Amino acid sequence: MFWTVTKSLLSGLGTTFEIFILTLLFALPLGLLVGFCSMSKWKPLKYLTEVLVWIVRGTPLMLQLIIIFYGPGLWLGHNIWNGGEKGRITATVVAFVINYACYFSVIFRGGIEGVPVGQREAGQVLGMTKSQIFFKVTLLQMIKRVVPPMSNEVITLVKDTAIARIIAAYELTFAGYSFMKSAGITWPLFYTGVFYLIFVGILTLLFHFIERKLDYFR
Amino acid sequence: MAILEVNHIEKHFGNTEVLQDVSFSLEEGKALAIIGSSGSGKTTLLRCLNFLEVPDGGTISVKGEVLFDAARANKGRDAELRKKRLHFGMVFQAFHLFPQYTALQNVTLAKELLAKEQPDYKSRKNEILAEINEQGKDLLLQMGLEDRMEHYPHQLSGGQQQRVAIARALALKPDILCFDEPTSALDPELTGEVLRVIRELAEQKTTMIIVTHEMAFARDVADQIIFMDGGVIVEQGDARQVIEAPREERTRQFLTRYTQG
Ligand SMILES: Nc1ncnc2c1ncn2[C@@H]1O[C@H](COP(=O)(O)OP(=O)(O)O)[C@@H](O)[C@H]1O
Ligand SMILES: [Mg+2]
């Protein structure tokens, strides 16, 4: 039994990990883009972006996922996510990317605006180009500011992947839960928790390492 | 001939006139001090010289070359602007050292980046970088920081940080070095070490513009003094004369306020 459960949970973990990685992969650059839009000097773009971020951060991710997964089918008359497990994961990733990009954008914006203008001006009077200022002066200071809030979000993301269960994507929590339903046993639920703890534990160590690496300056 | 000529500079932010008809010139190797109460436009003037602000009127020329002319207000390409900026150096009130670099790296960074544009950079890379490094060390030595070269800014006192900032500005050998209240952010016991290096620079005939509230220092180190009030130059002249025998009533009032503490 233990082995059967482990195998199922590992398969669920695979899906969880897939959602996690794909979300990060797309939400990080998209978040940077959204962040830049929200700082745009062109007011319409700035306000539009701010409203979008407000809506996305102001409503439950679970609600967003339900709308994204079921909405197109009801509006268009056919399901764009083509039924199977793959479609469910894709829909999940799309919802997560939009949601997390908005959260990340706020963090990035804070990081960029947190670097004093004096840093950029010091670079300018030293004859540096815009890109030299960005890459040689601002970027690392921005990263340093962004890492602690980012580590919180990334750890939250690990646990948020369980939300995919609402559209019946077979991720880790669903895998553990299914044994309770089918065999009436609860220990797999705790075992599932251990999987999350290990996952989050590794990420915590990783972020500690990065923070320590950036500790040499203030 | 004057190395720097500033003519009829105007600058406003919205409806506030911050600089009005500011004109002065500076001879090579001379030091000019700018004094005046807070809000009189001193920082804005230095920022205009360093192209951190775009004046609304007037011209700025260095060595006879017109660097800025509001009448021909072409915004200029980035590359041109950068070249113009290099005529000036700037030491900020709040230092603005790059926190992620050591003192020495702060001094050498801009020069290294500029060197990449040299045609022979690829072939002589190591040689060039070694030269820049040596020059950086010399500058820090000159600033009395020989044992602080590998320190990061947060490991340095304010006075040491400001001296690194001065070395950083000197590394690009600007024609004119600007200081914006270089000691105002420092504890009183640390101002001396910074004023000392500026005094040494004056003795070596560095062309400088120094915005300062240290009246005695301005009198002793500067050749000329400009007193600004409300965005205009109220009085300019020989340093000793402006401090000791001001011609204008407003200068006199300002100085009495300062000497009385
Ligand atoms: N970026 C800005 N926007 C609006 N007003 C400014 C700006 N910078 C300076 N000012 C105004 O210009 C005036 C002169 O400022 P500043 O040049 O900093 O004076 P000082 O350095 O002599 O204290 C002040 O009234 C200040 O409020
Ligand atoms: Mg000022």
Side-chain angles (χ1 to χ4, degrees):
Chain A
M1 191 64 188
F2 181 77
W3 183 233
T4 324
V5 172
T6 306
K7 248 171 66 184
S8 294
L9 291 187
L10 279 174
S11 136
L13 179 67
T15 302
T16 290
F17 190 71
E18 192 180 341
I19 297 170
F20 172 80
I21 281 293
L22 288 175
T23 301
L24 276 191
L25 202 66
F26 292 108
L28 285 171
L30 187 63
L32 196 59
L33 186 71
V34 175
F36 280 125
C37 289
S38 72
M39 289 185 285
S40 171
K41 286 199 185 98
W42 190 52
K43 295 294 174 194
L45 180 61
K46 177 184 157 72
Y47 294 138
L48 195 74
T49 314
E50 280 176 348
V51 169
L52 172 81
V53 171
W54 177 67
I55 292 172
V56 170
R57 295 206 312 159
T59 55
L61 175 52
M62 196 187 283
L63 183 66
Q64 294 163 15
L65 176 56
I66 292 169
I67 292 173
I68 284 177
F69 184 64
Y70 294 108
L74 297 175
W75 301 322
L76 306 172
H78 67 96
N79 189 357
I80 59 166
W81 307 113
N82 61 45
E85 181 70 8
K86 219 173 148 75
R88 282 193 282 273
I89 292 174
T90 313
T92 304
V93 169
V94 169
F96 274 53
V97 166
I98 295 172
N99 185 273
Y100 271 84
C102 288
Y103 278 96
F104 290 165
S105 78
V106 178
I107 294 176
F108 284 139
R109 182 175 166 173
I112 292 169
E113 290 180 340
V115 178
V117 264
Q119 290 291 306
R120 200 182 62 228
E121 292 183 347
Q124 284 175 328
V125 299
L126 290 167
M128 295 184 197
T129 65
K130 285 197 177 99
S131 78
Q132 286 171 342
I133 291 172
F134 181 75
F135 287 108
K136 298 286 179 179
V137 177
T138 337
L139 184 62
L140 197 60
Q141 298 183 48
M142 195 184 116
I143 292 173
K144 187 181 168 82
R145 271 160 225 272
V146 154
V147 168
M150 206 47 126
S151 76
N152 278 332
E153 283 307 321
V154 171
I155 284 167
T156 305
L157 171 60
V158 173
K159 293 169 291 172
D160 269 357
T161 54
I163 290 174
R165 191 235 164 285
I166 199 70
I167 59 163
Y170 195 75
E171 47 65 57
L172 185 52
T173 296
F174 194 9
Y177 172 77
S178 64
F179 285 99
M180 192 187 82
K181 264 189 91 177
S182 62
I185 47 175
T186 50
W187 66 263
L189 291 176
F190 294 94
Y191 192 21
T192 303
V194 173
F195 275 72
Y196 282 110
L197 285 174
I198 292 170
F199 196 163
V200 168
I202 292 169
L203 286 175
T204 307
L205 289 177
L206 187 73
F207 277 110
H208 272 310
F209 175 76
I210 297 172
E211 280 178 47
R212 257 211 318 280
K213 276 273 161 203
L214 292 171
D215 221 20
Y216 73 93
F217 74 91
R218 300 249 164 86
Chain B
M1 199 190 70
I3 189 169
L4 171 67
E5 282 184 78
V6 174
N7 286 307
H8 312 297
I9 289 290
E10 308 274 338
K11 177 72 194 172
H12 56 78
F13 291 111
N15 289 327
T16 346
E17 292 292 335
V18 178
L19 295 175
Q20 289 172 56
D21 198 21
V22 170
S23 301
F24 66 91
S25 64
L26 182 60
E27 301 286 323
E28 183 154 14
K30 301 285 185 189
L32 165 70
I34 301 179
I35 60 174
S37 41
S38 162
S40 56
K42 307 178 300 294
T43 297
T44 306
L45 178 57
L46 290 192
R47 290 173 61 84
C48 286
L49 295 178
N50 282 278
F51 297 89
L52 291 174
E53 305 285 357
V54 183
D56 299 305
T59 61
I60 299 169
S61 311
V62 171
K63 293 177 168 167
E65 180 197 352
V66 180
L67 296 185
F68 176 82
D69 184 349
R72 277 180 282 129
N74 63 326
K75 287 199 88 181
R77 285 179 304 119
D78 199 36
E80 261 173 64
L81 186 65
R82 284 171 50 223
K83 246 170 84 192
K84 291 175 179 178
R85 276 205 174 105
L86 291 175
H87 288 285
F88 294 90
M90 180 79 161
V91 174
F92 298 92
Q93 187 173 347
F95 331 134
H96 300 324
L97 290 181
F98 306 130
Q100 72 269 44
Y101 295 117
T102 62
L104 183 57
Q105 288 168 334
N106 262 278
V107 176
T108 56
L109 176 66
K111 188 106 193 197
E112 286 172 7
L113 294 173
L114 273 178
K116 287 187 184 165
E117 292 168 27
Q118 276 171 233
D120 60 348
Y121 180 72
K122 281 230 165 69
S123 51
R124 293 182 49 232
K125 186 173 170 184
N126 290 337
E127 202 181 324
I128 290 174
L129 290 182
E131 253 170 53
I132 293 172
N133 209 44
E134 276 313 302
Q135 185 220 7
K137 284 181 180 169
D138 285 346
L139 281 167
L140 287 172
L141 186 71
Q142 189 188 336
M143 295 294 131
L145 293 168
E146 56 277 16
D147 53 352
R148 290 287 181 278
M149 297 197 195
E150 302 306 324
H151 286 55
Y152 288 92
H154 77 270
Q155 300 166 322
L156 299 172
S157 73
Q160 291 167 338
Q161 289 186 51
Q162 192 59 300
R163 283 183 282 153
V164 175
I166 295 171
R168 179 176 72 172
L170 284 170
L172 295 179
K173 301 196 169 68
D175 294 319
I176 299 137
L177 184 53
C178 303
F179 296 82
D180 189 9
E181 301 193 30
T183 58
S184 291
L186 300 177
D187 293 335
E189 74 267 24
L190 298 178
T191 59
E193 56 186 68
V194 172
L195 294 180
R196 194 173 327 115
V197 300
I198 300 176
R199 191 186 294 263
E200 281 167 18
L201 290 174
E203 281 160 10
Q204 296 158 21
K205 302 291 172 218
T206 312
T207 314
M208 297 187 286
I209 302 177
I210 311 156
V211 170
T212 183
H213 288 301
E214 307 276 343
M215 295 307 149
F217 174 78
R219 178 195 59 204
D220 298 342
V221 173
D223 301 283
Q224 288 206 74
I225 287 184
I226 285 177
F227 168 63
M228 287 181 70
D229 193 23
V232 298
I233 295 182
V234 174
E235 177 163 356
Q236 58 177 314
D238 174 74
R240 202 156 278 279
Q241 172 258 309
V242 174
I243 298 287
E244 287 171 358
R247 287 194 206 94
E248 300 292 329
E249 182 54 32
R250 270 147 91 192
T251 318
R252 212 167 338 212
Q253 281 172 0
F254 170 78
L255 288 170
T256 350
R257 247 185 301 139
Y258 258 89
T259 40
Q260 282 169 353

